[in-house]
Amino acid sequence: MIEVKNLFKRFRQAKKSDPSRRRDAREGDGYFQAVRDVSFHCAPGEVLGLLGPNGAGKTTTLRLLATALKPDQGTAFVNGVDIVAEPMQARRQIGFLSGTTGLYGRLTGRENVEYFGRLHGMDEARLQRRCDELFEQLQLHDFAHKRTDEMSTGMKQKCSIARAVVHDPKVIILDEPTSGLDVMAAKVLLDFMADCKRRQIPLIFSTHHLHEVDKLCDRVCVINGGTTVFNDTTGAFRQRGGGDIFDAFIGVINERSAA
């Protein structure tokens, strides 16, 4: 179970903004409020789609939830563990793929995944079984011994997914996992996410591809201007657009912008 409660995070601005530039409403007193008030939850077996326009605060929210950043206010619970009070314990239960996560280019795909498994303290026999399972599931066996700096974007992304979940986490958080992928590579990752759902693993992912939300998600959270503006089931989200998920998204964003 993942519960996110009233997250708030601001960043100090490096320099004063140009007075002639149009200011973002989240700027003030030398700070930028990237996340102002975000709340949602995701139960076992659910997939939650985190949506919003560019700059809405999605990536910052996911990095807060994954304990890569510490919130200024609010908190989140991962299977009952408070990410602020016990970040190391929470981190052990999380598989996190950031949009900026890289691979060690001189290592092969398998070596990258094994390395991070060892960092998680996995014993060697379990690690090898888990690698075999993931490389089969993500269709990576043919590329297991290829250096990652020689891989395509799709292969790199699949290796990054394997690396993020090699320790068999209890919850999974993915930041735009299919961005830049071709249809076949994207399908493999979507099938992987559907399998996590069948295994009752709560999964949160951000995306700009609404067809992925329509296909996979049980719940939707929309963030705009650093604030949750919609948090409900996918069915309720569709109803906001008269049954069309694209119209629902545009409607929710326009409502917030007009407020």
Side-chain angles (χ1 to χ4, degrees):
M1 180 73 175
I2 303 169
E3 298 176 271
V4 176
K5 298 185 176 181
N6 307 114
L7 287 180
F8 176 91
K9 180 66 179 179
R10 66 178 187 171
F11 298 96
R12 185 178 291 278
Q13 293 179 296
K15 59 183 180 179
K16 292 183 178 180
S17 59
D18 183 348
S20 64
R21 180 178 64 84
R22 182 179 178 182
R23 284 185 57 184
D24 190 302
R26 291 180 284 172
E27 295 180 69
D29 299 324
Y31 288 90
F32 178 74
Q33 298 174 355
V35 173
R36 297 198 287 183
D37 185 8
V38 170
S39 300
F40 55 81
H41 68 272
C42 183
E46 287 186 339
V47 176
L48 180 140
L50 191 64
L51 309 179
N54 289 332
K58 300 185 300 298
T59 292
T60 301
T61 295
L62 295 183
R63 294 188 71 193
L64 290 168
L65 180 54
T67 75
L69 294 172
K70 184 177 180 179
D72 297 317
Q73 295 175 29
T75 192
F77 295 86
V78 176
N79 292 336
V81 179
D82 187 326
I83 66 165
V84 176
E86 301 177 279
M88 291 303 295
Q89 185 177 343
R91 197 173 298 166
R92 294 188 188 101
Q93 303 191 53
I94 297 169
F96 176 51
L97 175 72
S98 169
T100 57
T101 297
L103 297 164
Y104 293 106
R106 293 190 177 184
L107 298 182
T108 67
R110 180 98 182 194
E111 287 170 343
N112 268 281
V113 178
E114 289 176 344
Y115 175 69
F116 280 88
R118 294 183 184 111
L119 288 181
H120 281 290
M122 298 176 70
D123 68 71
E124 201 62 25
R126 179 189 169 210
L127 174 59
Q128 295 306 318
R129 288 195 302 270
R130 180 65 172 156
C131 284
D132 288 342
E133 174 187 318
L134 288 170
F135 275 65
E136 179 69 28
Q137 187 176 18
L138 293 169
Q139 299 179 20
L140 278 167
H141 275 307
D142 290 344
F143 302 89
H145 303 295
K146 186 173 185 176
R147 282 175 37 159
T148 56
D149 62 3
E150 298 172 348
M151 288 183 177
S152 68
T153 299
M155 290 300 109
K156 288 179 180 177
Q157 188 72 328
K158 287 196 254 185
C159 278
S160 294
I161 292 280
R163 189 191 72 174
V165 302
V166 64
H167 59 301
D168 205 11
K170 305 302 182 185
V171 303
I172 296 176
I173 302 166
L174 307 176
D175 189 7
E176 298 191 23
T178 62
S179 179
L181 302 188
D182 64 29
V183 172
M184 298 308 295
K187 184 182 184 308
V188 171
L189 292 185
L190 292 174
D191 287 346
F192 169 80
M193 293 160 69
D195 183 66
C196 292
K197 179 177 177 175
R198 286 190 292 270
R199 293 168 57 205
Q200 297 294 296
I201 299 174
L203 189 149
I204 295 172
F205 76 106
S206 68
T207 183
H208 290 292
H209 304 303
L210 295 181
H211 68 278
E212 296 175 355
V213 176
D214 214 14
K215 181 179 178 66
L216 281 177
C217 292
D218 303 283
R219 300 189 60 83
V220 172
C221 176
V222 181
I223 301 176
N224 194 19
T227 302
T228 297
V229 294
F230 181 89
N231 177 32
D232 207 332
T233 66
T234 307
F237 187 57
R238 286 193 200 95
Q239 290 178 7
R240 292 288 290 268
D244 186 287
I245 200 164
F246 292 88
D247 289 343
F249 178 76
I250 297 299
V252 168
I253 294 301
N254 285 343
E255 283 177 15
R256 174 64 181 179
S257 299

